[in-house]
Amino acid sequence: MENKKFNAFEMAQAQFDNVAEILNLDAATRDLLRFPLREYNFAIPVHMDDGTIKIFRGFRVQHNDARGPGKGGIRFHPQETIDTVRALATWMTWKCSVVDIPLGGSKGGVICDPHNLSMREQEQICRGWVRVIAKDIGPLRDVPAPDVMTNGQHMLWMLDEYEVITGQKYPGLITGKPVGMGGSLGRTEATGYGVIFTVREALKELGLKPENTTASVQGFGNVAQYAIQLYNQLGGKVICVSCWDQQDQISYTFKKSDGIDLDKLLSITDRFGGINKDKAKELGYEILPGDAWIDQKVDILLPCAIENQITGENASRIDEKVKLIAEGANGPTTPEADKIIQEKGIFMVPDFLANAGGVTCSYFEQVQCNMNYFWERDEVLGKLDVKMTSAFLAVSELARKRKLYMRDAAYVIAISRVAQACKDRGWV
Ligand code: NAD
């Protein structure tokens, strides 16, 4: 989203303005929700391994916490900007609201590139980030999590620093911790499974049985792999996956018309979700250009890679057989492409609903930490199914009743809940 061509925060505000019109929100509510409640923009001095001192810039943006403590990841990225963090914090507010979990929206970041930092230097950044912000985050205030280029280890350093400062144990401060250190079972598969819980419900609405459907998937990382696993379990057949080739610096589509074999494909995939092209050829896969995943004769498209992939140029190539798109990735569809998809009458499950399984499971992690009692995997995934299904049904019912596009219906529900919470608190 840190694309120079457009400003992510302006885009988030434009989306909000559109729904504010549909909801006929008053001027004060619009003014409140168009901007974050609080922003922190600070310096983190780090003693580098070579003896120099380097100053890193850190951010935390708390967009809205009317419905509960803020929730959102911390990104380590060399091109991080305050506007990207503002946009992502805003989208977190809508995502938590649409799945009806009692949390608000936040996001954080540090301008840095972990590829060029030692583990010790990264630890200093994590501890420094917490030292500055400790009094403004907390299990009942704002709960961080891993995101782009941060992981469970970074979260544990942050948690440890917080507990040193406060002198108490606060496992619910932060989510995305490793299992056994306060992490939740089921978190790894939560986002991909959540996508398929919504696909299963959408297929019911479309009168299709999963076992009679086929899908084409962009991406073969965490979200895509678990989405494919559950879709296969429901009887669906994936005929294409597309992923990025690190060596060739280009993406490819891997096709098998009678269905991919997930386990075999996983055995030739690296930890970044890149499939080995030569080994795939040996296994009988057809290797096609990277964007070939989009024009396949399938029932379902699952964009699960990165943003801005379905565009004004390629959306018209979507086959007329396609009935459903579920956005596993954040922001895979540009506004121009969205219009084309709407005109084609394709059923759309928008990103902040389809991929909300991750944050919902993070919420479960926090709940388990706060009561210091951990659920079995099946219990976590069962609760996730209930949450995702009821969120989907609420959105699709509104879309049907008010003849709204699914993305607009999801925004209407999410934004009206937050607006109501602000009103109930007497803020506006
Ligand atoms: P990941 O890094 O595990 O996998 C990304 C996959 O996308 C890889 O297979 C990579 O090869 C592929 N890819 C990258 N660029 C590509 C391109 N140009 N064409 C085709 N494939 C390409 O990431 P992930 O965790 O699976 O996340 C995927 C998306 O889902 C992101 O947009 C992320 O923000 C979003 N998301 C993830 C989670 C989560 O819990 N992991 C939660 C919510 C949203």
Side-chain angles (χ1 to χ4, degrees):
M1 286 284 180
E2 48 289 305
N3 196 323
K4 284 209 178 65
K5 276 185 280 177
F6 72 100
N7 177 305
F9 186 49
E10 284 170 9
M11 186 170 148
Q13 287 186 314
Q15 288 167 342
F16 169 77
D17 292 343
N18 176 36
V19 182
E21 274 305 306
I22 300 178
L23 284 170
N24 202 16
L25 291 183
D26 59 67
T29 307
R30 287 184 200 213
D31 215 11
L32 185 72
L33 295 179
R34 285 189 99 239
F35 296 94
L37 290 177
R38 289 176 292 277
E39 298 183 354
Y40 305 88
N41 186 330
F42 48 90
I44 307 170
V46 170
H47 290 254
M48 305 298 283
D49 291 350
D50 65 5
T52 60
I53 297 177
K54 200 166 167 195
I55 310 297
F56 292 88
R57 309 300 314 182
F59 308 106
R60 187 71 179 170
V61 173
Q62 295 165 349
H63 172 258
N64 193 280
D65 55 13
R67 286 173 43 84
K71 184 89 195 80
I74 302 169
R75 296 157 35 106
F76 281 1
H77 200 286
Q79 273 97 43
E80 192 64 286
T81 68
I82 186 72
D83 269 351
T84 314
V85 183
R86 284 174 176 146
L88 292 165
T90 308
W91 286 323
M92 283 306 295
T93 304
W94 313 144
K95 192 182 284 200
C96 292
S97 177
V98 81
V99 279
D100 205 11
I101 53 178
L103 297 171
S106 292
K107 206 80 179 187
V110 178
I111 305 176
C112 70
D113 187 352
H115 294 109
N116 307 325
L117 296 165
S118 70
M119 291 304 274
R120 194 199 66 82
E121 290 164 343
Q122 292 181 46
E123 180 178 349
Q124 296 312 304
I125 292 178
C126 290
R127 291 184 184 277
W129 192 91
V130 168
R131 272 199 298 278
V132 180
I133 204 82
K135 62 185 186 317
D136 299 300
I137 57 172
L140 300 175
R141 194 156 185 173
D142 180 11
V143 183
D147 207 291
V148 173
M149 287 200 263
T150 53
N151 56 37
Q153 175 63 75
H154 296 108
M155 298 306 109
L156 280 182
W157 285 325
M158 289 181 169
L159 175 68
D160 187 67
E161 188 66 22
Y162 186 81
E163 291 180 343
V164 168
I165 293 168
T166 57
Q168 309 221 32
K169 294 292 172 194
Y170 282 104
L173 167 79
I174 211 157
T175 62
K177 303 182 293 296
V179 172
M181 286 296 287
S184 176
L185 291 168
R187 175 61 186 91
T188 313
E189 51 272 57
T191 307
Y193 276 25
V195 172
I196 300 305
F197 293 144
T198 68
V199 164
R200 182 193 63 204
E201 297 306 312
L203 289 177
K204 279 186 206 158
E205 294 219 356
L206 292 165
L208 293 170
K209 289 202 158 63
E211 60 270 31
N212 297 333
T213 63
T214 52
S216 177
V217 182
Q218 190 191 35
F220 199 57
N222 171 262
V223 178
Q225 290 173 11
Y226 286 100
I228 294 170
Q229 187 181 75
L230 188 60
Y231 177 63
N232 282 346
Q233 282 170 21
L234 296 179
K237 192 161 77 177
V238 172
I239 65 158
C240 268
V241 294
S242 159
C243 65
W244 185 254
D245 189 295
Q246 196 58 34
Q247 209 174 351
D248 299 357
Q249 288 292 299
I250 188 175
S251 61
Y252 294 109
T253 299
F254 298 80
K255 180 169 181 181
K256 209 170 219 190
S257 302
D258 56 353
I260 65 156
D261 180 329
L262 179 62
D263 290 334
K264 274 202 189 132
L265 213 47
L266 284 173
S267 73
I268 57 165
T269 301
D270 64 28
R271 66 194 168 95
F272 304 108
I275 300 169
N276 184 310
K277 188 163 84 268
D278 300 325
K279 290 188 180 151
K281 261 189 214 151
E282 284 168 25
L283 290 174
Y285 284 85
E286 223 182 307
I287 316 286
L288 303 171
D291 63 351
W293 71 279
I294 206 170
D295 48 28
Q296 300 298 316
K297 233 182 183 28
V298 289
D299 304 286
I300 306 167
L301 293 180
L302 297 175
C304 298
I306 52 168
E307 65 279 359
N308 295 331
Q309 294 304 295
I310 308 182
T311 64
E313 276 110 63
N314 64 21
S316 52
R317 283 172 30 213
I318 295 175
D319 195 273
E320 56 188 30
K321 187 175 166 36
V322 173
K323 308 280 185 323
L324 168 65
I325 299 177
E327 297 179 324
N330 283 321
T333 308
T334 67
E336 305 80 61
D338 215 25
K339 282 203 189 92
I340 299 171
I341 290 166
Q342 209 172 340
E343 278 159 19
K344 280 174 174 274
I346 297 172
F347 195 106
M348 166 65 78
V349 189
D351 50 4
F352 68 109
L353 171 60
N355 70 32
V359 73
T360 304
C361 197
S362 295
Y363 161 60
F364 293 158
E365 175 178 337
Q366 206 208 353
V367 170
Q368 293 168 83
C369 284
N370 289 345
M371 61 183 177
N372 211 0
Y373 174 75
F374 288 82
W375 307 327
E376 297 301 326
R377 176 179 178 272
D378 284 354
E379 190 173 352
V380 175
L381 294 175
K383 285 181 161 63
L384 181 67
D385 192 349
V386 171
K387 269 283 170 212
M388 294 299 295
T389 301
S390 51
F392 173 89
L393 292 177
V395 173
S396 70
E397 192 189 333
L398 183 75
R400 241 191 345 266
K401 268 196 192 148
R402 293 201 27 201
K403 296 194 173 26
L404 289 172
Y405 186 47
M406 279 288 283
R407 193 184 306 280
D408 292 338
Y411 268 122
V412 163
I413 288 186
I415 292 176
S416 59
R417 280 184 186 148
V418 179
Q420 189 62 46
C422 294
K423 223 168 229 50
D424 291 347
R425 285 177 179 275
W427 290 356
V428 281

